[in-house]
């Protein structure tokens, strides 16, 4: 469960001594996410980068309590957040993701949402989403009323955690691979709805790149030519893929 961090605890956080990099890294590995927050200074809030492990947490969701890493298992996942239930842009987004369930399943991608409200509110909101988008939302939504998961995923700042009643969780998307590494992060302003096709396109690109050892150009879609990465010689690329179209020594296309 994402435990509640009280305001006094937050005040205490700012009074804790700063730890050295070695101490804090050791402490972070030893501590649960909630305890880790007691140890945190502003500089220590996780800064999620492409290639880092997606932090683990326990939370209540609309489909029961989860341990995030256990829930991920060995699948790809998209984890996306919403500032609040019953907000217009978020409502359209969740409906769209729910309708794309088959497409994500085909790619072995689990979906999980997060919104900064409690479970009873999520339940009523899902009824609205289903009605408005003519769908049945099947994936879990994390109840993150205390913003503890949002904090862990850098969707709110330490400063915002001191005023959680008014702080907005940033509209974020994380694509996580089967080894639990963050492969993409996207952050959107509250006023801009995401593009669900783009999320799917990135998953196609990542999965293709991992399988075939290629990269993909601007606006790439499945079936388009791909790029031979600089680490592969043209000779090796020809052996592996057949024809290679060399536009410049550093820009070579092929088909897969
Ligand atoms: C929305 O999803 O529409 C929204 C979210 C946060 C603030 C305002 C609007």
């Amino acid at each position: 469960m994402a435990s509640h961090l009280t305001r006094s605890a937050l005040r205490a956080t700012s009074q804790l001594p700063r730890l050295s990099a070695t101490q804090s890294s050791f402490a972070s590995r030893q501590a649960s996410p909630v305890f880790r927050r007691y140890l945190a200074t502003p500089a220590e809030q996780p800064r999620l980068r492409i290639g880092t492990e997606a932090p683990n947490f326990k939370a209540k969701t609309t489909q029961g309590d989860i341990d995030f890493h256990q829930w991920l298992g060995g699948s790809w996942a998209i984890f996306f957040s919403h500032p609040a239930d019953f907000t217009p842009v978020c409502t359209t987004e969740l409906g769209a993701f729910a309708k794309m369930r088959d497409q994500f399943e085909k790619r072995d991608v689990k979906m999980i949402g997060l919104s900064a409200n409690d479970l009873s509110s999520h339940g009523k909101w899902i009824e609205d989403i289903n009605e408005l988008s003519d769908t049945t939302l099947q994936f879990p939504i994390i109840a993150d009323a205390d913003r503890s998961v949002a904090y862990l995923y850098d969707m709110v700042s330490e400063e915002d955690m001191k005023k959680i009643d008014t702080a907005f969780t940033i509209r974020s998307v994380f694509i996580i691979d089967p080894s639990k590494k963050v492969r993409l992060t996207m952050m959107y302003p509250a006023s801009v709805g995401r593009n669900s096709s783009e999320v799917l396109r990135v998953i196609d690109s990542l999965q293709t790149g991992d399988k075939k050892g290629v990269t993909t150009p601007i606006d790439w879609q499945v079936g388009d030519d791909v790029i031979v990465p600089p680490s592969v010689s043209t000779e090796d690329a020809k052996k592996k893929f057949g024809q290679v179209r060399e536009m410049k020594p550093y820009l070579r296309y092929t088909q897969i």
Side-chain angles (χ1 to χ4, degrees):
M1 275 118 285
S3 303
H4 191 72
L5 192 67
T6 61
R7 282 161 200 284
S8 58
L10 278 163
R11 273 195 297 277
T13 300
S14 59
Q15 286 157 19
L16 282 168
R18 263 177 191 277
L19 300 175
S20 71
T22 316
Q23 282 171 322
S24 65
S25 143
F26 175 77
S28 297
R29 281 199 303 275
Q30 301 300 307
S32 71
V34 170
F35 187 44
R36 196 178 303 156
R37 199 130 41 80
Y38 279 88
L39 298 172
T41 63
E44 292 171 35
Q45 183 180 21
R47 294 282 179 263
L48 299 190
R49 299 277 184 262
I50 287 176
T52 59
E53 183 177 84
N56 195 24
F57 58 86
K58 291 180 166 61
K60 285 191 184 301
T61 82
T62 50
Q63 295 181 7
D65 293 358
I66 62 158
D67 170 289
F68 188 55
H69 279 188
Q70 271 175 20
W71 178 85
L72 286 170
S75 293
W76 288 82
I78 59 163
F79 173 26
F80 45 91
S81 62
H82 303 279
D85 295 358
F86 303 105
T87 49
V89 176
C90 299
T91 302
T92 64
E93 289 188 315
L94 277 168
F97 279 123
K99 279 172 123 58
M100 292 171 77
R101 177 184 173 211
D102 290 351
Q103 306 208 51
F104 285 108
E105 263 183 14
K106 224 167 42 190
R107 292 161 174 84
D108 186 30
V109 180
K110 289 180 161 182
M111 287 191 267
I112 189 162
L114 170 150
S115 184
N117 292 101
D118 61 26
L119 282 182
S120 65
S121 164
H122 283 2
K124 292 188 194 95
W125 188 33
I126 288 171
E127 286 173 21
D128 280 4
I129 293 163
N130 288 343
E131 177 198 325
L132 290 164
S133 294
D134 189 23
T135 188
T136 306
L137 194 146
Q138 305 271 3
F139 51 83
I141 302 179
I142 294 166
D144 195 38
D146 70 358
R147 312 322 194 247
S148 58
V149 180
Y151 180 87
L152 197 62
Y153 273 75
D154 203 10
M155 300 163 178
V156 290
S157 67
E158 181 121 3
E159 216 27 58
D160 281 346
M161 287 299 284
K162 293 177 190 158
K163 42 179 185 179
I164 57 170
D165 295 338
T166 52
F168 270 131
T169 297
I170 304 290
R171 197 191 293 287
S172 308
V173 186
F174 297 91
I175 296 181
I176 299 167
D177 75 10
S179 70
K180 303 181 176 53
K181 284 212 167 59
V182 172
R183 299 292 296 274
L184 168 132
T185 68
M186 287 197 247
M187 295 203 178
Y188 279 66
S191 58
V192 180
R194 284 163 278 212
N195 184 324
S196 52
S197 306
E198 172 62 1
V199 175
L200 209 56
R201 192 190 74 88
V202 176
I203 286 166
D204 282 335
S205 171
L206 288 169
Q207 293 186 343
T208 301
D210 285 3
K211 263 190 225 131
K212 308 280 185 184
V214 294
T215 57
T216 59
I218 177 82
D219 296 335
W220 178 84
Q221 298 285 346
V222 172
D224 291 352
D225 286 359
V226 296
I227 290 176
V228 178
S231 56
V232 179
S233 70
T234 301
E235 193 188 338
D236 285 348
K238 281 181 179 161
K239 279 188 212 143
K240 191 170 176 188
F241 303 115
Q243 273 200 340
V244 173
R245 192 159 47 90
E246 186 168 310
M247 314 298 291
K248 293 281 179 191
Y250 58 86
L251 178 58
R252 297 159 302 160
Y253 288 99
T254 191
Q255 288 193 322
I256 47 166

